[in-house]
Amino acid sequence: MKVGIIGGTFDPIHNAHLYIAYEAKEQLNLDKVIFMPAGIQPLKTDKKITSSKYRYEMVKEAIEDYEKFEVSDYEINKGGLSYTYETLEYFKNLSQNEDAELFFITGADCLMNIEKWKEVKKILSLSNMVVFMRGGADKEKLLLQKDYIEKKYNTSIIFLELKELEISSTDIRSRVNEGKKIDFFVPESVKNYIYAKGLYEK
């Protein structure tokens, strides 16, 4: 059983998130991909984010038509700070009878900052780290970091080959606030949910 886990604030979830998850599923032959809306992230405690209830519902709406996509409210419900190693331990224990192999899907910026994370060793022993490029990432620096982390922690990091989609949740929130269209960036169900709940408006 190969299980992908893709975490994020998802404020809101957008088409690039879905594309990344779909390509990870296809390229790595995953049995399913679990979207994990974050609770309180240790490195982002100063950021104001939308209520977890709305973020969870938007993910649910976005993935409805995708086979093998699921959403989990584990980090939202656990309370306190959300540490990746705890999430991975939870899913490892949850699926121990199925002998699940976990694939932690994250951006290039996370690989660059991985040693700031709690229990790095555990994260890398509990899962296969799968990294995708974000806009503006320096590929040369990234490859050097990949090599350094692999040697130091005796692990192997997987790079996803993706087309670059320049979509950001920050930009989507700004566009809603300015009364601009967001149809090109989010699934229609998510767009309708944002407008119905009056999210990101002035």
Side-chain angles (χ1 to χ4, degrees):
M1 183 75 156
K2 295 167 78 176
V3 179
I5 295 174
I6 181 166
T9 313
F10 300 126
D11 193 14
I13 187 169
H14 52 65
N15 291 335
H17 293 133
L18 297 171
Y19 168 61
I20 291 160
Y22 177 81
E23 283 299 320
K25 177 176 76 71
E26 292 295 303
Q27 291 182 32
L28 304 172
N29 197 25
L30 303 179
D31 293 290
K32 63 180 173 181
V33 177
I34 300 169
F35 286 76
M36 179 67 59
I40 303 166
Q41 294 173 294
L43 300 178
K44 296 184 180 179
T45 50
D46 57 337
K47 273 187 80 175
K48 188 187 173 196
I49 59 172
T50 305
S51 162
S52 56
K53 175 184 133 182
Y54 294 135
R55 292 184 290 112
Y56 176 84
E57 286 299 328
M58 283 190 281
V59 174
K60 204 171 162 189
E61 290 284 347
I63 67 171
E64 198 172 340
D65 295 331
Y66 289 84
E67 201 187 341
K68 298 181 180 178
F69 280 8
E70 296 177 10
V71 58
S72 168
D73 57 6
Y74 164 73
E75 286 194 1
I76 288 167
N77 289 339
K78 74 179 273 289
L81 296 174
S82 297
Y83 290 106
T84 298
Y85 82 92
E86 291 177 334
T87 300
L88 293 171
E89 277 180 337
Y90 169 76
F91 279 101
K92 202 74 172 171
N93 293 333
L94 194 68
S95 49
Q96 61 187 358
N97 297 333
E98 301 170 22
D99 195 24
E101 186 181 1
L102 301 181
F103 292 77
F104 174 54
I105 305 158
T106 190
D109 52 336
C110 293
L111 174 59
M112 295 307 293
N113 296 312
I114 190 73
E115 291 197 291
K116 290 181 183 173
W117 293 25
K118 198 169 183 181
E119 300 282 3
V120 183
K121 218 170 183 177
K122 257 187 193 169
I123 292 170
L124 296 170
S125 67
L126 287 165
S127 67
N128 300 288
M129 191 172 188
V130 180
V131 175
F132 58 88
M133 292 285 283
R134 289 188 196 270
D138 184 326
K139 197 162 186 182
E140 202 175 314
K141 272 187 184 172
L142 201 59
L143 289 170
L144 285 171
Q145 176 73 347
K146 176 181 184 284
D147 188 53
Y148 162 72
I149 294 293
E150 285 180 334
K151 282 176 180 164
K152 182 172 177 179
Y153 296 96
N154 190 28
T155 189
S156 184
I157 292 163
I158 302 162
F159 269 14
L160 273 187
E161 290 299 322
L162 300 176
K163 293 184 188 300
E164 210 167 287
L165 296 186
E166 285 295 331
I167 305 175
S168 85
S169 297
T170 306
D171 184 44
I172 291 165
R173 294 195 300 270
S174 297
R175 291 182 74 87
V176 174
N177 189 259
E178 293 161 13
K180 293 179 179 176
K181 281 186 171 289
I182 58 168
D183 305 54
F184 338 97
F185 307 121
V186 296
E188 191 174 0
S189 58
V190 173
K191 179 194 77 172
N192 292 339
Y193 188 91
I194 288 169
Y195 292 145
K197 299 295 180 185
L199 303 179
Y200 316 128
E201 291 174 1
K202 291 174 187 172

